[in-house]
Amino acid sequence: MKKNEKTIKILKYVTLGLIAFLILEMIYFGYRIINNRKNSTFYSGINSVIEIDKGYVAVGFSDAKHSDNLEFNKPGYIKPYIWVYDENMKITKEVRLDLGYNGEFKDLIKVEDGYMIVGSLEMSEANHIDSATEGVIVKYDNDFNVIWRKNYNALGDTSFNVIKKHNSTYFVGGSSIFESSAIGQDTKGGAIILEYNDEGKRLQEINHGGATSNGIYNDIEIVKDGIIAVGVKHKGTGIIYKYDFNGKELWHNYFGYTDIEGLTSITKINDNEFVITGSKLEDKNMTDSYEAALVKIDNKGKIVDE
């Protein structure tokens, strides 16, 4: 075999080897990409939705990883989010509250000139380190431009969970407790209800439990003579409290052995009765086995059926 032919043959083998190596590398990197995608978690969720003319508005949280309209929140922060859907459930608009670190919207209502939305935000680096939030209420116009925003933090970790309108003001329910790095005594906080006017001025504060409680109001119902709130006091005790519109307690009741969320919603079914959702421990000796619960109460807070 001539020297040139031998050289060409060697080069062919080397080339084939390099091609085979590149194919293996491509297969390997493809596997790594697919595996990384499988093992990477991206977050979006809806907490509340209302029907509007020719569509729906939903609020929740997202990192925008799969958004067609907004950029991914590097390094993956989860932001308060609004989605607008048409009648066919196609997203027509996405709005993000781009403040602080992580956050989410929990509830919304439609008002004449826009929307009132509540939730929580990690506003500072200290909040982010402690995974603590401030409660936030935002008024948007009908095109989802911010008209005003108010934050609230009685103690170190606050969240607004629900908003309801009464005449010309708004009642907001939620929780304000110490962040994980803090301890102490304080009469503020616990399960909270705040009242705001249409300009964002805070008119009054109602609280139950204070700093010694991990109390939460998950939902409120406005009735003709006041507010009925449901939630949890510490772990395992559901709470039902009624206040007049000036914040005076009228009555309360407990629903024991719930999970950490307690009682989660209340709905008026007639002038004298309400249905509450929550959970109940199946057996007092089994601390990790819960059943879903529907609880009916009368207008004095007495449990009439469950």
Side-chain angles (χ1 to χ4, degrees):
M1 183 181 292
K2 294 181 180 180
K3 186 175 182 181
N4 286 343
E5 291 178 350
K6 187 175 183 180
T7 301
I8 291 171
K9 191 173 183 179
I10 292 171
L11 287 174
K12 284 182 179 179
Y13 285 129
V14 170
T15 302
L16 289 172
L18 288 172
I19 291 171
F21 177 76
L22 288 172
I23 290 172
L24 290 173
E25 283 287 296
M26 290 172 67
I27 293 171
Y28 172 73
F29 281 114
Y31 167 78
R32 288 289 301 273
I33 290 170
I34 293 170
N35 193 55
N36 285 340
R37 285 180 177 175
K38 286 182 178 179
N39 293 327
S40 296
T41 304
F42 304 107
Y43 293 93
S44 292
I46 290 173
N47 289 321
S48 185
V49 61
I50 60 172
E51 185 175 7
I52 59 172
D53 184 35
K54 297 182 179 179
Y56 307 88
V57 178
V59 297
F61 54 90
S62 180
D63 53 19
K65 178 64 179 177
H66 301 292
S67 171
D68 294 329
N69 306 298
L70 299 173
E71 292 184 1
F72 176 56
N73 286 307
K74 295 180 180 179
Y77 292 128
I78 300 164
K79 299 292 187 180
Y81 222 84
I82 305 168
W83 293 270
V84 182
Y85 294 85
D86 65 16
E87 294 170 299
N88 299 314
M89 302 303 294
K90 180 181 178 181
I91 294 174
T92 60
K93 190 167 191 172
E94 296 176 86
V95 181
R96 178 171 64 202
L97 186 61
D98 238 338
L99 294 172
Y101 296 80
N102 296 306
E104 65 179 305
F105 283 141
K106 299 286 189 69
D107 195 23
L108 81 159
I109 57 173
K110 181 75 179 74
V111 295
E112 184 177 350
D113 56 347
Y115 301 85
M116 300 284 284
I117 304 180
V118 297
S120 59
L121 280 170
E122 293 175 352
M123 288 296 294
S124 67
E125 185 177 1
N127 284 157
H128 182 55
I129 291 170
D130 286 330
S131 296
T133 59
E134 298 181 15
V136 63
I137 176 171
V138 188
K139 182 172 184 179
Y140 288 89
D141 66 18
N142 284 310
D143 294 319
F144 297 96
N145 301 303
V146 174
I147 298 175
W148 52 257
R149 172 183 57 86
K150 302 292 181 180
N151 287 29
Y152 175 84
N153 207 13
L155 300 178
D157 188 8
T158 303
S159 175
F160 291 162
N161 300 326
V162 58
I163 180 170
K164 295 289 176 66
K165 185 177 183 182
H166 171 66
N167 295 332
S168 60
T169 66
Y170 306 90
F171 285 93
V172 175
S175 173
S176 190
I177 60 176
F178 278 133
E179 63 270 43
S180 58
S181 61
I183 57 173
Q185 298 288 329
D186 201 307
T187 58
K188 300 190 296 292
I192 58 172
I193 297 174
L194 308 179
E195 183 182 13
Y196 288 89
N197 68 11
D198 197 52
E199 286 73 46
K201 180 180 179 182
R202 192 167 67 248
L203 303 178
Q204 69 167 315
E205 305 173 27
I206 306 166
N207 77 295
H208 169 69
T212 59
S213 168
N214 287 326
I216 303 169
Y217 281 140
N218 290 312
D219 197 14
I220 57 178
E221 183 72 78
I222 305 294
V223 294
K224 61 183 179 180
D225 58 343
I227 309 148
I228 303 176
V230 298
V232 65
K233 177 181 182 179
H234 303 297
K235 181 182 178 181
T237 303
I239 54 176
I240 313 165
Y241 272 74
K242 183 175 182 180
Y243 302 93
D244 67 18
F245 290 116
N246 295 314
K248 178 183 176 182
E249 182 190 324
L250 300 177
W251 51 254
H252 70 267
N253 200 355
Y254 299 123
F255 184 76
Y257 303 108
T258 68
D259 63 12
I260 60 173
E261 293 187 356
L263 303 177
T264 53
S265 74
I266 178 170
T267 302
K268 179 181 176 181
I269 55 175
N270 57 54
D271 289 338
N272 298 310
E273 292 181 314
F274 304 83
V275 169
I276 297 169
T277 62
S279 63
K280 188 171 185 179
L281 196 64
E282 289 185 61
D283 188 321
K284 296 177 185 178
N285 298 315
M286 297 172 60
T287 59
D288 59 352
S289 182
Y290 294 89
E291 295 179 323
L294 288 176
V295 184
K296 183 187 287 187
I297 65 168
D298 63 19
N299 58 10
K300 299 296 181 182
K302 181 182 176 181
I303 296 173
V304 296
D305 197 6
E306 63 175 87

